[in-house]
Amino acid sequence: MARIVDVAARLVWDSRGRSTVEAEVAVKGARGRAIAPAGASTGSGEAKSIDTRQAVHAVNTEIRSFLLGKKLEQSLVDQSLIALDGTPDKSRLGGNAIVAVSLATAHATAAAARKPLWRFLAGKRQVAMPVPQIQIFGGGAHAHGSMDLQDFMIICVGAGSFAESLEWTAQVYRAAGARLAARGALRGVADEGGFWPAFKANEEALAELTGAIADAGFEPGADVGIALDVAATQLWRDGRYQLALENRSLSASQLHALLLQWIERYPIVSIEDPFAEHDAEAMASFTRTAGERIQIVGDDFLVTNASKVREAKTIGACNAVLLKPNQAGTLTETLACWQAAQAAGYNAIVSARSGETEDVSIVHLAVGWGVPQLKVGSFARSERMAKWNEGLRIEEALAGTKLPYPARKLFGRTITAASAPSR
Ligand code: PGA
Ligand code: ZN
C-alpha cells in the first residue's frame, strides 16, 4: 500500500466569503484535495472548527509530521487524526482541519487506484443516483431570520432520474421566483441560493411553494413533494419555540400540532429537525404520530453520530439521518453513522453545509456509499450547481448499468401509512 509523501493545507474562501481550509494529501504518483465546508445553524454535538489560520497551521505542521510515511488507508488516517487531536470534539486541531485532510485522503486513495471517488467507494457494489432535496425558499439563520423555518425544499418524487429531477426543479425554481416577483415579495437569494421572500407568515411559503409546483405543470404530492428543514434548535428560546415572523411562541405540543396541520394541508414528504436538538421526547412523540406518513430527519439532533442514531432508534425518534462529514469530522465516522442508520432501518441524506465551495466530494460519497438522498442547497449559486452538475456526470457514467433511480421507491405516490419508509 502506498505511503503518504505529502500533506499540506492552504487558506481558501467559501460561498459566504469566509475563510476555510483546503487540504492536500499525496502519495507517489497521486494526489487528493478537498475543502472543509462550514455551517451556520450548527448542532452543539458537532466537531468544532477553529480559526482557519490555526487550522491551516495545524495541518502544515503537526498533522503533516504525524501522517508522513503512514499508509494511505482511510480508516488508518482517520484514526490517526482522532488520536492526534485527542479531544472529543476535535477542537484542538480543528474539525475544519481534520475533515479537509480526511476528505483529501479519500481523493488521494481513489486517485492512486485510478478511479473516480464514487466508483472507488462503491467497489463491487451496485449503486444508484441519490434523490435530491433542493431548496426553493431559504430562511432562518441563512437569511437573517426572514422566515423562521430554514429550508423549504422540493423532492421530485415522480421523476425517473437524477437528470429529470434537476429539470423539474429548474421549472419549479423559476415558477417560484416569478410568483414572488409578481407579488413584490422577492428580496434576493439566501445563503444556499433559495429565494429570500418577504412573507408575513411561515405558512405563506408552503402555499406559494405548492402553487409554484402547480404553476410549473406538476401535480403537488404525486410529482413533486415538499421537504422542510425547521432547524428548530434555532427557534428555541426561554423554553419555547419562537416564531418571530408571526410574533408568537409555541410549546412543543403546539409546534407538533402546527406541523401536523401543515402535513394535512400541503404535500409534505419530509421534515428535518422539527424540534430542538435536546428535545428528544418531542422528536419521539412526533415520530410516533407522523413517522408512518413522512420522513423525519435528524440533523442537529443526530449530528452524524452513530451512537446518537442508535439511541434515537431505541426511543423511536426520527426515521432518517442527515450525514454531514464535517459534523462527524472524519469520513470513517460519517460512514459509521450511515451504517448505524442502515442497521436501524433509517433513511439517510448526505448533506452540504450553508457555507460551501466548488468542492464536490459529498456527491461522490452519496453515490459511492449508496446513500439514497442528497441535499446541497438550492438551484442557484455555483457552489451548489457544481454539485448538481457533478451528479449529472456520474449519472451518465452509471447509465443503464446499475440500480434504478430510487425516488419512487422512497417517496412513490407520497409516503402513506401503507408505504412508509422502512423503520
Ligand atoms: P447549516 O445548514 O450548514 O447552516 O447547518 C444546513 C442544514 O441545517 O441542513
Ligand atoms: Zn438542517
Side-chain angles (χ1 to χ4, degrees):
M1 187 174 284
R3 303 255 165 200
I4 296 172
V5 298
D6 193 21
V7 177
R10 65 178 65 84
L11 180 154
V12 295
W13 300 92
D14 77 5
S15 54
R16 280 192 279 245
R18 295 189 190 147
S19 63
T20 186
V21 184
E22 177 170 84
E24 298 200 17
V25 171
V27 291
K28 198 160 170 282
R31 215 174 171 80
R33 191 179 73 195
I35 310 179
S41 63
T42 51
S44 58
E46 296 192 18
K48 295 278 175 300
S49 287
I50 60 169
D51 170 74
T52 308
R53 275 175 224 286
Q54 281 175 17
V56 167
H57 182 73
V59 177
N60 285 333
T61 54
E62 232 184 299
I63 292 178
R64 177 186 155 84
S65 9
F66 199 70
L67 291 181
L68 283 185
K70 291 227 160 53
K71 284 185 189 155
L72 182 73
E73 207 275 306
Q74 190 74 48
S75 60
L76 275 178
V77 169
D78 288 345
Q79 293 313 327
S80 300
L81 291 167
I82 292 165
L84 182 66
D85 173 76
T87 67
D89 58 2
K90 304 185 174 66
S91 55
R92 193 177 77 78
L93 298 170
N96 39 352
I98 291 173
V99 78
V101 174
S102 182
L103 282 165
T105 300
H107 283 287
T109 318
R114 305 277 175 267
K115 284 188 177 150
L117 180 54
W118 68 267
R119 209 186 271 284
F120 175 79
L121 294 171
K124 292 200 167 44
R125 259 180 317 116
Q126 293 234 307
V127 292
M129 288 306 292
V131 176
Q133 287 193 13
I134 307 184
Q135 189 196 62
I136 304 296
F137 301 136
H142 302 161
H144 297 279
S146 64
M147 285 186 294
D148 298 297
L149 272 63
Q150 183 180 284
D151 297 327
F152 293 81
M153 298 170 284
I154 57 168
I155 299 179
C156 297
V157 295
S161 68
F162 186 86
E164 191 170 47
S165 277
L166 298 191
E167 271 168 39
W168 291 13
T169 300
Q171 293 172 43
V172 174
Y173 185 75
R174 273 196 291 278
R179 282 178 84 95
L180 293 192
R183 285 182 47 179
L186 182 54
R187 284 196 191 157
V189 299
D191 281 4
E192 296 189 9
F195 294 115
W196 176 335
F199 290 148
K200 292 195 177 58
N202 294 286
E203 190 172 347
E204 264 183 70
L206 286 166
E208 286 297 325
L209 184 49
T210 309
I213 293 167
D215 286 357
F218 300 107
E219 195 187 321
D223 296 326
V224 179
I226 292 178
L228 300 177
D229 183 0
V230 181
T233 305
Q234 301 284 323
L235 307 179
W236 180 260
R237 226 168 302 123
D238 306 326
R240 292 174 74 82
Y241 292 94
Q242 312 288 340
L243 298 183
L245 180 64
E246 302 168 18
N247 204 11
R248 59 182 176 146
S249 86
L250 307 179
S251 66
S253 64
Q254 286 169 325
L255 178 57
H256 178 122
L258 179 65
L259 294 173
L260 287 183
Q261 204 180 72
W262 286 349
I263 294 168
E264 290 302 323
R265 288 187 190 156
Y266 304 98
I268 294 170
V269 296
S270 178
I271 303 185
E272 181 178 326
D273 282 346
F275 298 92
E277 61 182 11
H278 67 274
D279 211 347
E281 204 176 296
M283 209 68 97
S285 152
F286 189 64
T287 307
R288 276 196 298 278
T289 317
E292 293 296 317
R293 297 175 58 190
I294 64 159
Q295 174 171 272
I296 299 170
V297 186
D299 171 15
D300 294 348
F301 180 61
L302 297 172
V303 286
T304 316
N305 182 308
S307 321
K308 285 190 192 285
V309 169
R310 287 189 282 268
E311 273 165 41
K313 173 71 180 178
T314 62
I315 61 164
C318 300
N319 55 27
V321 56
L322 214 65
L323 302 171
K324 290 168 163 172
N326 83 324
Q327 275 183 335
T330 63
L331 280 206
T332 302
E333 291 160 287
T334 309
L335 179 59
C337 184
W338 166 223
Q339 286 162 345
Q342 287 171 287
Y346 279 33
N347 276 316
I349 305 109
V350 169
S351 171
R353 302 309 304 248
S354 50
E356 275 290 338
T357 63
E358 68 274 23
D359 188 295
V360 296
S361 308
I362 56 164
V363 186
H364 289 253
L365 301 184
V367 181
W369 286 345
V371 179
Q373 296 166 70
L374 176 66
K375 173 186 175 187
V376 312
S378 192
F379 212 64
R381 300 180 53 138
S382 281
E383 79 279 5
R384 314 290 152 187
M385 304 319 288
K387 294 168 183 64
W388 300 131
N389 290 340
E390 185 73 353
L392 290 174
R393 292 180 200 105
I394 299 175
E395 184 167 65
E396 208 175 281
L398 278 175
T401 60
K402 302 288 188 220
L403 298 172
Y405 185 66
R408 290 190 181 91
K409 191 166 145 249
L410 282 170
F411 296 104
R413 305 299 108 195
T414 73
I415 297 176
T416 62
S419 62
S422 58
R423 287 201 302 140

